[in-house]
């Protein structure tokens, strides 16, 4: 993958780029963000007065760039990076520093530091005078200023006000009109105890704003000034702690601090759970009270009593030669003389007998000074004297999900918590892996290395049993493990339990302490051995445990009727779509052919999992195999996957289905479920026409009469697809959404999600964002719980809409681009082309329209906003009404914009007639973007 740099001089990995014109071609393609740039546009952008042969010169530049960017590409093979599309070129870049910078803007202090470190100079530094780069340069510069301010805000939250003051002074010297920066500066000065300087900063801000912009300070700055004058508690910095989620354990250690004499605490827990971190935080607390801390670590290969040698040397003393009893007393006396002193003995489970004997010597003396010994250990310490001393015992478990979120952010906290059990070391390693673009389901290299090192200390038989247990999953039935191993496994289990790899959860059942432990062991088993062990497990499993049986059949690659039956039954009952896809595919492999029921099952699962193109392929394949009306109706009717977008993604495929359904329909004349499903399918596939409302209503009536909730949900979806034949129908769609929730809630997950998304759209049109927010959150929650990846595409767009509606233009711009990027590759072609430019038009206005952007099917409605007057008028008057879909109001608004630009009454009247039924709505019924109130387009 080539990494492109535009935040400074243009770079493309290690490629050696050519002269200014060739570099300009590359920069122009990067500005286009993977969109096609026509060759004529490149020519016009490169030369004010294009020379003869300019077209060929551009082609030469492109050829040279392809060689530089893909030096290992075989001759005469097409480029996969700089591709030709029609009469233009597109650079399908994945890694551009500017794009990474934008994605990092929502991060914490360290992430923001990384984001700002990407800047090596002004964005597109070489092309600052080029008209085609100016808008992108300005946009990125604005985001850089936002990042600086967010970084200062994050640093303030961590109590670093002194550094923030210096950074903000430098920032404001160049940008004195940044009101947010003035607010942060005043707050930082106040927290530094400089109340007068803070008020002076507010006064400077007022002067700068009046001088530069002619406006008074906003509410935030005025409120801050008032708070400074009254010394409001709101201005105090939040409490900062370097230790997350251990308040209870710290409080427990506090109880070990002796009022006089000796105190002992024993902190136990597995490797990486944070024993040393807890001791460090506790030492910092005691340091504030005048305590001295000395550290020592027990090592397996160290000299006798080595930890105490470390302690004595840290206290500035030396141990002389003496017999053991006197040596122990000398150590106790040295430590006592340094009181109050905290001694931390790390890894006490590795202590030798003499180290424990010295610890015993402390418990047998009455000390004159205050001494606290905190020992950390992975397991119980075999010391009777220590047990008699009744130390304060602190058993460290994993962090809870809230604490994990504080370490790695809320987005992946739940999954990271599940995979790591909250072990802080594993949490941080997995968080770093994900932040760098790694797979959340993989094992970080650091974790794998630590676990392998620990495994090396086990006997070979125990390691084998652990590897066999990993094939059974995270939860292991001991009898099943013994059957797989072919011998008794209890002795080996005792060893691995003591080593902390598994824990007993009930008699006969053990569990790997973390998913990462299990995954590391499993990945270390060869593929061939894995398959054989999975097959052996499938042979001894109870036949009623379908999901587990199917899991092992799939991973064993077994080909048999029993495997097909188990895999198909498991796929039908599995509510995780991507897992269902895996099981259906495994069933097809086990069958060695393509039975009709397996193809239809796979097609439906692919659609729910987000692979719409793959689903269409499977559905067509099944339809070709179906013979007779019953089989055809079964194939067509089995695919009741919800749809929210009214633009047809694959018209040819839909036409194939509609034709097949209409041919089959006469075979089912009565009001039956089969006929209703065929009718609903016709209405769903012929969407965006408004012509199939009759079919949808008949299907809906039949479903009501039969009392079939699944059929009713499908029919309601079909009717929704035909409620766009005129504007102003948001209330009707809201009613459909509410009925869907009533029918589907708690039993039909995908249609329940559909109900929420329909209500997001309808409530956006009705300007009821509070209700829309609740339905978006409910849809996201269901999607996360049931692994429905496409849902997030719509709620991401809605989040961008909300930013736009709130006037947060820069943030909305970034959010729209990110949301559009996530649509690519889903097979939702109706959303892939043209929606991003429409969203940006809604955000920035018609003056920013570039007809070279990929407007997709919406180009004809946009052309009148940018063409010369006469051409624009002709184009506008030639416009048809357009399809009856989610963009009906949007197209009418574009027509109104054209009428205003061209000052044409005929166009204005046409737009007015189209929009009048929706006069009380917002142009936001897509749930993706908003053009504001409909009344803005109705004219006087």
């Amino acid at each position: 993958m080539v990494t492109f740099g535009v935040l400074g001089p243009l770079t493309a990995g290690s490629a050696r780029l050519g002269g200014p014109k060739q570099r300009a071609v590359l920069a122009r393609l990067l500005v286009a963000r993977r969109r096609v740039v026509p060759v004529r546009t490149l020519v016009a952008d490169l030369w004010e007065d294009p020379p003869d042969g300019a077209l060929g010169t551009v082609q030469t530049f492109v050829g040279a760039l392809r060689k530089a960017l893909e030096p290992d590409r075989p001759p005469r093979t097409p480029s996969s990076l700089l591709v030709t599309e029609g009469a233009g070129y597109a650079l399908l870049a994945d890694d551009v520093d500017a794009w990474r910078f934008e994605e990092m803007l929502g991060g914490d202090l360290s992430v923001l530091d990384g984001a700002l470190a990407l800047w090596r100079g002004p964005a597109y530094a070489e092309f600052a005078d080029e008209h085609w780069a100016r808008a992108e340069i300005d946009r990125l510069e604005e985001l850089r200023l936002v990042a600086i301010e967010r970084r200062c805000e994050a640093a303030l939250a961590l109590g670093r006000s002194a550094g923030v003051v210096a950074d903000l002074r430098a920032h404001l010297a160049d940008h004195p009109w940044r009101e947010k920066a003035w607010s942060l500066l005043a707050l930082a000065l106040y927290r530094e105890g400089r109340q007068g300087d803070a008020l002076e900063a507010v006064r400077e801000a007022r002067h700068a704003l009046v001088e530069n912009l002619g406006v008074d300070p906003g509410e935030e700055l005025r409120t801050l000034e008032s708070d400074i004058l009254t010394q409001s508690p709101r201005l105090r910095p939040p409490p900062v702690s370097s230790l997350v989620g251990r308040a209870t354990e710290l409080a427990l250690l506090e109880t070990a601090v002796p009022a006089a004499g000796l105190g002992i605490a024993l902190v136990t827990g597995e490797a990486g759970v944070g024993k040393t971190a807890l001791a460090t935080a506790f030492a910092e607390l005691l340091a504030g009270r005048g305590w001295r801390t000395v550290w020592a670590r027990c090592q397996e290969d160290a000299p006798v009593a080595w930890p105490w040698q470390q302690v004595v040397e840290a206290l500035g003393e030396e141990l002389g030669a003496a017999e053991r009893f006197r040596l122990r007393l000398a150590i106790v006396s040295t430590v006592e003389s340094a009181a109050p002193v905290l001694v931390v003995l790390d890894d006490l489970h590795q202590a030798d007998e003499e180290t424990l004997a010295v610890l015993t010597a402390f418990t047998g003396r009455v000390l004159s000074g205050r001494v606290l010994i905190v020992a950390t250990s992975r397991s119980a310490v075999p010391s009777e004297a220590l047990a008699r001393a009744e130390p304060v015992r602190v058993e460290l478990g994993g962090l809870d999900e809230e604490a994990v979120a504080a370490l790695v952010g809320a987005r992946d906290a739940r999954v990271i918590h599940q995979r790591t059990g909250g072990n802080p070391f594993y949490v941080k390693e997995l968080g770093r892996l994900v932040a760098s673009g790694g797979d959340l389901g993989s094992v970080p290299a650091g974790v794998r290395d630590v676990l392998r090192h620990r495994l090396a200390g086990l006997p070979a038989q125990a390691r084998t049993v652990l590897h066999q247990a990993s094939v059974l999953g995270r939860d292991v039935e001991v009898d099943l493990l013994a059957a797989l191993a072919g011998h008794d496994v209890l002795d080996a289990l005792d060893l691995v339990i003591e080593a902390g790899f598994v824990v007993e959860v009930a008699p006969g059942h053990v569990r790997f302490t973390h998913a990462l432990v299990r995954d590391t062991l499993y990945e270390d088993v060869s593929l061939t051995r894995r398959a054989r062990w999975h097959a052996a497990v499938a042979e001894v499993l109870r036949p009623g445990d379908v999901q587990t049986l199917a899991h092992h059949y799939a991973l064993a690659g077994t080909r048999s009727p029993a495997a097909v039956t188990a895999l198909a039954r498991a796929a039908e009952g599995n509510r995780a779509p991507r897992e269902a896809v895996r099981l259906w595919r495994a069933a097809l492999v086990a069958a060695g052919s393509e039975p009709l029921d397996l193809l239809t099952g796979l097609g439906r699962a692919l659609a729910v999992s987000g692979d719409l193109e793959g689903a269409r392929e499977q559905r067509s394949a099944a339809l070709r195999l179906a013979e007779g009306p019953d089989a055809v109706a079964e194939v067509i009717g089995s695919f009741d996957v919800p749809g929210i977008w009214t633009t047809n993604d694959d018209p040819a495929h839909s036409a194939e289905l509609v034709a097949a359904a209409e041919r089959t329909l006469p075979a089912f004349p009565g009001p039956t479920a089969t006929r209703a499903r065929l009718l609903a399918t016709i209405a769903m596939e012929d969407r965006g026409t408004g012509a199939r409302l009759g079919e949808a209503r008949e299907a809906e009536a039949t479903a009501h009469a039969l009392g079939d909730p699944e059929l009713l949900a499908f029919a309601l979806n079909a009717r929704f697809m035909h409620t766009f034949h005129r504007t102003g129908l948001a209330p009707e769609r809201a009613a459909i959404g509410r009925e869907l929730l009533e029918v589907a809630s708690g039993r039909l997950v995908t249609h329940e999600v559909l109900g929420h998304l329909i209500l997001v759209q309808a409530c956006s049109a009705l300007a009821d964002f509070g209700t829309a927010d609740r339905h978006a959150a409910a849809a996201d929650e269901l999607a996360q719980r049931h692994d429905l990846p496409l849902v997030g595409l719509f709620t991401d767009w809605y989040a961008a809409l909300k930013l736009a509606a709130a006037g947060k233009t820069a943030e909305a711009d970034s959010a729209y681009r990110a949301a559009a990027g996530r649509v690519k590759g889903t097979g939702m072609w109706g959303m892939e082309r043209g929606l991003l430019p429409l969203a940006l038009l809604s955000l920035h206005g018609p003056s920013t329209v570039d007809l070279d952007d990929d407007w997709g099917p919406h180009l004809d409605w946009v052309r009148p906003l940018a063409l010369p007057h006469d051409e624009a008028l002709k184009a506008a008057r030639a416009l048809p009404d357009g399809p009856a879909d989610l963009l009906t109001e949007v197209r009418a608004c574009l027509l109104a914009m054209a009428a205003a630009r061209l000052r044409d009454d005929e166009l204005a009247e046409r737009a007015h007639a189209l929009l009048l039924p929706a006069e009380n709505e917002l142009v936001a019924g897509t749930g993706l973007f908003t053009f504001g109130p409909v009344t803005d387009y109705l004219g006087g």
Side-chain angles (χ1 to χ4, degrees):
M1 181 187 298
V2 180
T3 298
F4 295 93
V6 299
L7 302 179
L10 181 66
T11 61
S14 58
R16 297 184 64 182
L17 302 176
K21 294 293 188 188
Q22 181 180 316
R23 297 169 70 85
V25 170
L26 179 59
R28 180 64 182 87
L29 294 173
L30 284 166
V31 167
R33 286 177 169 258
R34 295 173 62 96
R35 297 193 298 272
V36 175
V37 180
V39 177
R40 57 185 173 81
T41 300
L42 287 172
V43 170
D45 287 342
L46 288 177
W47 294 280
E48 287 186 18
D49 184 16
D52 293 338
L55 182 62
T57 303
V58 169
Q59 293 170 340
T60 301
F61 289 155
V62 169
L65 283 171
R66 283 172 171 161
K67 289 180 182 178
L69 298 176
E70 298 177 281
D72 299 326
R73 180 167 52 88
R76 293 180 296 282
T77 58
S79 172
S80 60
L81 182 58
L82 206 173
V83 301
T84 302
E85 291 281 353
Y89 302 105
L91 182 67
L92 303 183
D94 288 314
D95 189 355
V96 181
D97 57 1
W99 304 355
R100 276 187 283 126
F101 166 73
E102 291 182 56
E103 291 171 357
M104 297 164 77
L105 285 179
D108 59 14
L109 180 61
S110 61
V111 173
L112 288 165
D113 279 336
L116 288 165
L118 294 173
W119 286 74
R120 299 165 287 111
Y124 292 95
E126 303 159 61
F127 311 101
D129 296 330
E130 303 292 346
H131 69 91
W132 48 264
R134 191 68 258 162
E136 181 68 358
I137 290 171
D138 291 344
R139 189 182 70 84
L140 289 170
E141 176 61 15
E142 170 64 21
L143 292 177
R144 186 184 71 84
L145 300 180
V146 169
I148 291 171
E149 290 159 11
R150 287 186 181 177
R151 186 208 170 277
C152 291
E153 196 167 14
L156 266 179
L158 295 174
R160 303 178 186 179
S161 51
V164 167
V165 169
D167 290 343
L168 286 170
R169 287 288 190 200
H171 178 57
L172 284 164
D174 292 328
H175 309 285
W177 58 89
R178 304 287 296 187
E179 190 168 349
K180 179 68 174 179
W182 283 113
S183 296
L184 292 170
L185 175 60
L187 180 59
L189 288 165
Y190 180 85
R191 288 183 179 174
E192 281 292 289
R194 298 163 61 182
Q195 182 175 348
D197 289 339
L199 290 170
E200 178 60 29
V202 174
R203 285 191 286 271
E204 286 182 58
R206 181 177 288 108
H207 176 74
L209 291 169
V210 170
E211 287 292 316
N212 285 278
L213 303 176
V215 298
D216 290 324
E219 183 179 353
E220 181 181 358
L221 200 56
R222 295 197 307 272
T223 301
L224 179 60
E225 182 178 27
S226 175
D227 286 344
I228 292 171
L229 288 168
T230 60
Q231 298 182 344
S232 170
R234 288 198 301 269
L235 302 182
R236 294 173 187 162
V240 178
S241 173
S242 59
L243 192 67
V244 173
R246 297 301 192 196
T248 301
E249 290 83 355
L250 275 174
L252 192 55
L253 279 179
E254 284 274 13
T255 66
V257 178
L262 178 68
I264 300 178
L266 184 61
V267 181
T268 55
E270 63 173 337
V273 80
K275 300 182 295 294
T276 303
L278 178 67
T280 300
F282 185 55
E284 291 173 356
L285 284 176
L286 290 189
R289 304 175 198 169
W291 283 65
R292 183 177 185 180
T293 300
V294 289
W295 288 78
R297 181 173 177 269
C298 305
Q299 297 174 243
E300 289 181 336
D301 54 353
V304 172
W306 172 245
W308 294 110
Q309 177 77 32
Q310 293 174 274
V311 168
V312 170
E313 289 179 358
L315 293 174
E317 302 292 337
E318 292 184 5
L319 287 178
E323 54 90 15
R324 287 188 176 181
F325 179 74
R326 294 190 179 278
L327 196 61
R328 294 169 190 170
L329 293 182
I331 293 171
V332 173
S333 178
T334 300
V335 172
E336 185 180 20
S337 65
V341 63
L342 165 65
V343 177
V344 181
L345 297 177
D346 238 345
D347 293 335
L348 196 64
H349 57 279
Q350 296 184 149
D352 61 89
E353 290 184 7
E354 185 58 22
T355 296
L356 294 176
V358 174
L359 184 57
T360 301
F362 275 92
T363 66
R365 289 273 302 270
V366 177
L367 304 182
S368 58
R370 300 170 73 193
V371 174
L372 175 59
I373 300 175
V374 173
T376 72
S377 176
R378 292 183 191 170
S379 56
V381 179
S383 170
E384 182 181 350
L386 182 60
R388 285 201 306 270
E390 297 183 351
V392 171
R393 296 183 183 272
V394 181
E395 295 184 11
L396 280 187
L399 298 172
D400 60 24
E401 189 174 323
E402 184 179 351
V404 170
L407 287 175
V408 297
R411 181 177 177 183
D412 297 313
R414 178 178 296 180
V415 177
I416 290 177
H417 180 260
Q418 290 171 347
R419 285 186 56 70
T420 63
N423 181 297
F425 170 68
Y426 298 163
V427 166
K428 292 174 184 175
E429 288 292 304
L430 189 53
R432 274 195 280 273
L433 178 68
V434 173
S436 64
D439 181 6
L440 191 57
S442 59
V443 181
V447 173
R448 186 181 290 112
D449 290 345
V450 168
L451 290 174
R452 285 172 176 164
H453 176 74
R454 289 176 57 202
L455 281 165
L458 292 174
Q461 185 178 5
R463 291 200 301 273
T464 299
V465 167
L466 269 179
H467 283 118
Q468 289 170 324
S470 73
V471 170
L472 299 177
R474 188 173 176 189
D475 292 288
V476 179
E477 187 179 333
V478 174
D479 288 345
L480 189 58
L481 176 60
L484 174 60
H487 57 78
D488 184 76
V489 294
L490 294 182
D491 289 342
L493 281 178
D494 285 343
L495 287 172
V496 299
I497 289 170
E498 184 180 355
F501 290 102
V502 299
V503 294
E504 280 191 290
V505 293
H509 294 269
V510 297
R511 189 172 205 237
F512 281 99
T513 50
H514 307 294
L516 293 178
V517 173
R518 181 263 168 189
D519 291 354
T520 298
L521 287 157
Y522 186 73
E523 289 170 12
D524 283 348
V525 180
S526 69
L527 294 175
T528 302
R529 191 180 296 276
R530 265 191 232 170
R532 290 185 180 178
W533 281 351
H534 280 297
V537 173
E539 291 300 316
V540 298
L541 269 174
R542 294 182 295 273
D545 193 353
V546 176
Q547 293 293 337
T548 304
L549 187 61
H551 169 78
H552 289 289
Y553 272 135
L555 292 173
T558 304
R559 292 195 173 195
S560 70
V564 173
T565 300
L567 287 161
R569 286 178 59 199
E572 286 173 356
N574 200 296
R575 301 188 71 177
R578 279 181 277 214
E579 177 62 13
V581 168
R582 187 183 71 83
L583 292 169
W584 284 118
R585 291 194 189 283
L588 283 163
V589 170
S593 60
E594 295 186 333
L596 199 59
D597 59 332
L598 300 188
L599 287 177
T600 55
L602 174 58
R604 192 178 195 285
L606 283 167
V608 178
S609 73
D611 185 358
L612 298 179
E613 187 173 359
R616 289 192 287 267
E617 290 174 0
Q618 295 300 325
R619 198 177 183 189
S620 291
L623 198 58
R624 287 193 295 272
L625 290 174
E627 296 181 359
D630 289 331
V632 171
E634 178 65 26
V635 170
I636 294 173
S638 66
F639 197 83
D640 56 351
V641 177
I644 184 71
W645 192 244
T646 52
T647 302
N648 200 314
D649 292 324
D650 192 340
H653 175 71
S654 292
E656 175 189 20
L657 287 167
V658 170
E662 289 181 326
R663 285 195 306 271
T664 309
L665 205 54
F668 303 95
T672 63
T674 300
R675 178 179 177 82
R677 285 191 179 277
L678 289 171
L679 289 167
T681 299
I682 290 170
M684 284 289 291
E685 296 299 330
D686 201 9
R687 62 183 67 183
T689 64
R692 298 290 189 172
L693 190 57
E695 285 87 343
R697 287 197 180 279
E698 183 183 339
E700 186 180 349
T702 301
H704 274 297
L706 295 175
D708 185 335
E710 289 187 28
L711 181 58
L712 179 56
F714 188 34
L716 285 168
N717 193 176
R719 178 155 70 87
F720 164 79
M721 289 295 180
H722 295 272
T723 54
F724 299 92
H725 50 282
R726 68 167 175 84
T727 64
L729 293 176
E732 182 177 339
R733 294 193 286 277
I736 292 174
R738 288 191 293 270
E739 187 173 358
L740 265 172
L741 290 183
E742 185 178 334
V743 170
S745 187
R747 49 185 171 181
L748 304 173
V749 174
T750 54
H751 281 92
E752 184 179 357
V753 170
L754 174 66
H756 285 301
L757 292 180
I758 288 174
L759 282 162
V760 169
Q761 293 177 346
C763 291
S764 296
L766 298 171
D768 184 1
F769 287 120
T771 303
D773 285 345
R774 290 195 294 275
H775 287 292
D780 278 334
E781 195 277 328
L782 286 169
Q784 186 174 29
R785 198 190 324 157
H786 297 283
D787 190 23
L788 304 172
L790 291 185
V791 176
L793 299 179
F794 294 96
T795 54
D796 283 351
W797 276 91
Y798 172 69
L801 182 158
K802 284 292 299 298
L803 290 170
K808 299 178 179 178
T809 304
E811 294 173 64
D813 185 295
S814 178
Y816 277 135
R817 294 179 190 277
R822 286 190 281 274
V823 175
K824 293 186 183 300
T826 62
M828 298 174 68
W829 302 323
M831 286 188 69
E832 281 192 32
R833 297 196 62 205
L835 286 192
L836 177 60
L838 279 179
L840 299 180
L841 168 58
S842 75
L843 195 62
H844 301 299
S847 63
T848 61
V849 167
D850 181 352
L851 295 181
D852 289 332
D853 285 342
D854 183 8
W855 293 95
H858 317 302
L859 178 61
D860 286 344
W861 279 269
V862 177
R863 291 173 70 239
L865 302 179
L867 289 174
H869 183 279
D870 291 345
E871 291 181 54
L873 185 60
K874 181 179 178 182
R877 287 181 173 174
L879 285 173
D881 288 339
D885 61 15
L886 268 164
L887 292 165
T888 297
E889 282 97 340
V890 171
R891 283 189 295 272
C893 285
L894 294 175
L895 188 63
M897 288 182 194
R901 178 194 176 217
L902 302 171
R903 302 181 183 224
D904 186 89
D905 292 340
E906 180 185 329
L907 293 176
E909 288 173 9
R910 182 180 168 194
H912 185 278
L914 289 170
L915 288 169
L916 187 60
E919 63 179 329
N920 296 317
E921 296 180 10
L922 293 181
V923 189
T926 60
L928 310 181
F929 44 78
T930 176
F931 278 80
V934 169
T935 52
D936 289 354
Y937 302 90
L938 291 176

